[in-house]
């Protein structure tokens, strides 16, 4: 929310309310002036509070922006370092797993060859008997 439109709306509302009170009041001029002065003092107090709150919010936003600018690069660097370390740590395990997979693949190939030979040997005696 921008402060300028808010303050403009608040000021317009106060002026409009003041004019409405002036035209509809049954009070004497002195009473109206006293009421207006009291309302003006209250409005000034409220505007000062709003101004202070806007200043506080602005300061908070600036602080947050600076924190983000300072901390994000450090977080990114830490994350990169963590990923690099993780990659280095899992490399031996990755290599071991690859070797085991290769060994399993070789074993499977040998088993397939043995099965093919056994199947072929079983067929040969049956072919001789039928001749």
């Amino acid at each position: 929310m921008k402060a300028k439109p808010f303050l403009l709306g608040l000021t317009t509302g106060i002026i409009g309310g003041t004019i409405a009170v002036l035209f509809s009041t049954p009070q004497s001029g002195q009473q109206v002036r006293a009421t207006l002065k009291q309302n003006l003092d209250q409005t000034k107090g409220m505007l000062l509070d709003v101004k202070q709150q806007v200043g506080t919010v602005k300061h908070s936003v600036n602080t947050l922006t600076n924190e983000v600018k300072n901390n994000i690069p450090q977080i990114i660097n830490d994350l990169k370092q963590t990923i690099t370390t993780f990659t280095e740590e899992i490399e031996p395990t990755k290599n071991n797993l690859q070797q085991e997979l290769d060994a399993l693949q070789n074993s499977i190939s040998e088993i397939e060859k043995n099965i093919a030979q056994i199947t072929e040997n079983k067929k040969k005696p049956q072919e001789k008997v039928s001749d």
Side-chain angles (χ1 to χ4, degrees), residues 80-104:
K80 285 180 182 178
Q81 182 63 37
T82 302
I83 291 171
T84 302
T85 303
F86 175 75
T87 304
E88 291 171 356
E89 287 177 357
I90 66 166
E91 190 65 32
T93 305
K94 178 183 157 190
N95 291 336
N96 288 340
L97 286 174
Q98 185 62 45
Q99 290 173 355
E100 289 179 19
L101 284 173
D102 291 342
L104 284 173

Side-chain angles (χ1 to χ4, degrees), residues 58-111:
K58 186 175 179 181
H59 177 71
S60 297
V61 168
N62 287 337
T63 302
L64 180 63
T65 302
N66 289 335
E67 288 291 324
V68 167
K69 285 180 183 177
N70 293 334
N71 290 335
I72 291 295
Q74 181 62 37
I75 291 170
I76 290 172
N77 288 336
D78 290 348
L79 186 58
K80 285 180 182 178
Q81 182 63 37
T82 302
I83 291 171
T84 302
T85 303
F86 175 75
T87 304
E88 291 171 356
E89 287 177 357
I90 66 166
E91 190 65 32
T93 305
K94 178 183 157 190
N95 291 336
N96 288 340
L97 286 174
Q98 185 62 45
Q99 290 173 355
E100 289 179 19
L101 284 173
D102 291 342
L104 284 173
Q105 186 64 37
N106 290 337
S107 296
I108 290 171
S109 296
E110 283 185 36
I111 291 171

Side-chain angles (χ1 to χ4, degrees), residues 5-130:
F6 173 74
L7 293 176
L8 181 63
L10 183 66
T11 304
T12 304
I14 291 170
I15 291 171
T18 302
I19 291 171
V21 167
L22 284 175
F23 287 120
S24 64
T25 186
Q27 298 175 343
S28 69
Q30 188 176 16
Q31 289 175 331
V32 170
R33 284 190 294 273
T35 303
L36 285 175
K37 184 175 179 347
Q38 182 183 10
N39 288 342
L40 182 63
D41 291 340
Q42 288 176 350
T43 303
K44 284 180 181 178
M46 285 187 244
L47 287 175
L48 281 174
D49 287 343
V50 169
K51 184 178 178 181
Q52 288 174 347
Q53 290 174 359
V54 166
T56 302
V57 169
K58 186 175 179 181
H59 177 71
S60 297
V61 168
N62 287 337
T63 302
L64 180 63
T65 302
N66 289 335
E67 288 291 324
V68 167
K69 285 180 183 177
N70 293 334
N71 290 335
I72 291 295
Q74 181 62 37
I75 291 170
I76 290 172
N77 288 336
D78 290 348
L79 186 58
K80 285 180 182 178
Q81 182 63 37
T82 302
I83 291 171
T84 302
T85 303
F86 175 75
T87 304
E88 291 171 356
E89 287 177 357
I90 66 166
E91 190 65 32
T93 305
K94 178 183 157 190
N95 291 336
N96 288 340
L97 286 174
Q98 185 62 45
Q99 290 173 355
E100 289 179 19
L101 284 173
D102 291 342
L104 284 173
Q105 186 64 37
N106 290 337
S107 296
I108 290 171
S109 296
E110 283 185 36
I111 291 171
E112 288 173 345
K113 285 179 187 177
N114 290 337
I115 290 174
Q117 286 177 354
I118 291 171
T119 306
E120 194 175 301
N121 288 340
K122 283 186 178 181
K123 287 183 182 179
K124 284 185 182 180
Q126 290 175 358
E127 290 174 0
K128 289 181 181 178
V129 171
S130 60

